[in-house]
Amino acid sequence: MATIKDIAQKAGVSPAAVSRVLNYDPDISVSEKTKTKIFEAAEALNYTKHLKGAKSYKGSLLLLQWYNAKEELEDLYYLSIRLGMEKKAQELDYEFTRMTYKKNHLPKEKYDGILALGKFSKEDCDNIASLSDTVLFVDYDAYDFGYNSLVVDFKQGVHLALNHLLEKNISSMGILTGDEKVKGTGEEIKDPRLSFYEKEMLEYPEIKSDFIFHAPFTVKGGYDKMKQVLTHQEKLPEALFCASDALAIGCMKALQEFDLNVPEDIAIVGFNDVSVAKYVTPGLTTIKVYTEWLGNLAVTTLGELLKEDAPVPRKLLVGTQLIKRASA
């Protein structure tokens, strides 16, 4: 595990600044550029070995991402995937361009292949597909729209999280789920983790599981929601599954302010295992999505699509892993 000192050296800042940024200290005054350097250094040092031996294919790739630079820092999930893409594209000698997707400002240049990272409407998918014959949607299931998709197996991840919490002989369970909307249209996106949570908990009628909270997928979102719950609600569940690490980290900050202990008063499990999950106190038990490898896989999969004339779209499902730390 990389240390705070390692990250500080790579980012060119002080260890104190790294510690405060990784713990989302609201009082620290550093620029967005410095925060980006710190988070990117933390993600880079968190990387596992890269895929090797793939045949180099020179071509031009465009990454269209739905998060802008500031939003990336609010939930490191997409930042980590993007860094994995850039690393693999460099390794395979692709020309790699990235930009934030804007419905009315599509690029005029032509690219050999496009990676679309994030959540999109049907209209967005069609617009993106008009830019290239070879498109891969990453972390969004556009398969039913007729497009290649690379997605995380949320059903498996939710099962791993709930199974771990249920082993603790609890009588009540809750979920802090993320609210998202398609940019431009405002179309609400239901978190698939909530759907799988509701279905799985039907198998445990003896456990009270109707503690369902909603918040934006950010540290602030998790903090504000848990603070609101603690202010207005007398009882909490004994265990809480959070749909992202950002939500879980914010949630734990609010609990600490109210002198509640994790996991003694409430067990917390997150989702994603972003680099900062191991640096918060207590260390966050979470469902690991191998985001850097997911970014690698996205580029290599797009490369395969460029080399063949596939008759139908494909959907790749990527598994997850439970990472046990101190929060549950």
Side-chain angles (χ1 to χ4, degrees):
M1 168 175 155
T3 65
I4 296 292
K5 185 177 179 181
D6 295 332
I7 297 170
Q9 185 174 7
K10 187 173 181 64
V13 298
S14 70
V18 171
S19 179
R20 294 179 68 183
V21 167
L22 294 186
N23 281 280
Y24 290 90
D25 185 340
D27 297 323
I28 188 171
S29 178
V30 298
S31 68
E32 185 176 305
K33 182 178 180 181
T34 299
K35 286 184 179 180
T36 300
K37 286 171 62 177
I38 291 171
F39 282 129
E40 288 189 348
E43 290 296 330
L45 291 170
N46 191 47
Y47 281 177
T48 55
K49 62 183 180 181
H50 297 287
L51 298 176
K52 298 293 183 182
K55 183 179 179 181
S56 179
Y57 175 91
K58 292 184 179 180
S60 60
L61 303 185
L62 170 66
L63 167 60
L64 285 175
Q65 52 189 114
W66 79 317
Y67 266 6
N68 59 35
K70 181 179 180 181
E71 291 168 324
E72 266 194 340
L73 301 183
E74 294 177 344
D75 187 346
L76 302 181
Y77 177 73
Y78 287 110
L79 182 145
S80 183
I81 295 174
R82 188 257 294 173
L83 292 176
M85 289 178 175
E86 292 177 341
K87 180 73 175 180
K88 180 54 66 174
Q90 181 182 28
E91 185 181 311
L92 297 180
D93 201 23
Y94 284 109
E95 293 178 12
F96 191 84
T97 304
R98 69 180 176 98
M99 61 182 65
T100 302
Y101 173 77
K102 294 181 180 179
K103 178 179 177 181
N104 299 319
H105 297 279
L106 297 175
K108 296 180 181 179
E109 300 87 348
K110 287 294 183 181
Y111 296 87
D112 294 317
I114 293 179
L115 296 160
L117 175 61
K119 307 295 191 295
F120 304 94
S121 67
K122 171 66 165 61
E123 182 183 0
D124 291 331
C125 294
D126 293 340
N127 286 338
I128 292 169
S130 71
L131 301 174
S132 174
D133 293 332
T134 309
V135 178
L136 177 64
F137 288 87
V138 183
D139 197 54
Y140 180 67
D141 191 352
Y143 182 75
D144 287 343
F145 300 150
Y147 301 116
N148 300 298
S149 302
L150 175 60
V151 293
V152 174
D153 190 344
F154 290 114
K155 181 179 180 180
Q156 180 228 16
V158 170
H159 174 74
L160 289 173
L162 298 187
N163 188 62
H164 176 68
L165 291 172
L166 290 166
E167 290 177 349
K168 300 184 176 300
N169 195 31
I170 58 174
S171 60
S172 60
M173 173 89 76
I175 181 171
L176 176 55
T177 183
D179 288 334
E180 290 181 306
K181 294 182 179 179
V182 175
K183 293 182 178 179
T185 67
E187 175 186 343
E188 292 189 2
I189 305 168
K190 184 173 182 180
D191 182 0
R193 282 157 288 217
L194 174 58
S195 299
F196 292 127
Y197 169 86
E198 292 173 326
K199 290 177 182 177
E200 181 137 349
M201 291 311 297
L202 289 175
E203 300 179 16
Y204 302 93
E206 73 280 7
I207 295 178
K208 182 175 173 58
S209 59
D210 58 351
F211 295 91
I212 298 177
F213 311 117
H214 297 261
F217 271 112
T218 63
V219 172
K220 185 178 185 302
Y223 172 81
D224 288 345
K225 173 53 65 174
M226 183 49 62
K227 191 172 181 179
Q228 179 187 1
V229 169
L230 291 168
T231 302
H232 300 290
Q233 186 167 322
E234 292 184 2
K235 192 170 179 61
L236 286 174
E238 295 175 38
L240 185 67
F241 168 51
C242 297
S244 77
D245 290 345
L247 286 171
I249 291 168
C251 174
M252 291 198 299
K253 288 172 73 69
L255 289 165
Q256 290 166 356
E257 286 188 11
F258 278 73
D259 295 323
L260 293 172
N261 296 315
V262 178
E264 292 82 4
D265 295 315
I266 179 171
I268 303 288
V269 171
F271 202 103
N272 293 336
D273 195 34
V274 295
S275 57
V276 298
K278 62 178 72 66
Y279 297 108
V280 297
T281 304
L284 182 62
T285 294
T286 187
I287 301 302
K288 185 175 186 66
V289 177
Y290 283 86
T291 46
E292 179 253 349
W293 177 72
L294 185 64
N296 286 178
L297 183 60
V299 172
T300 54
T301 299
L302 189 62
E304 292 171 4
L305 292 167
L306 286 168
K307 297 174 187 175
E308 62 183 42
D309 186 17
V312 291
R314 68 181 65 174
K315 181 165 85 171
L316 300 179
L317 199 61
V318 175
T320 61
Q321 181 182 5
L322 174 68
I323 304 297
K324 296 180 183 180
R325 297 193 182 99
S327 69

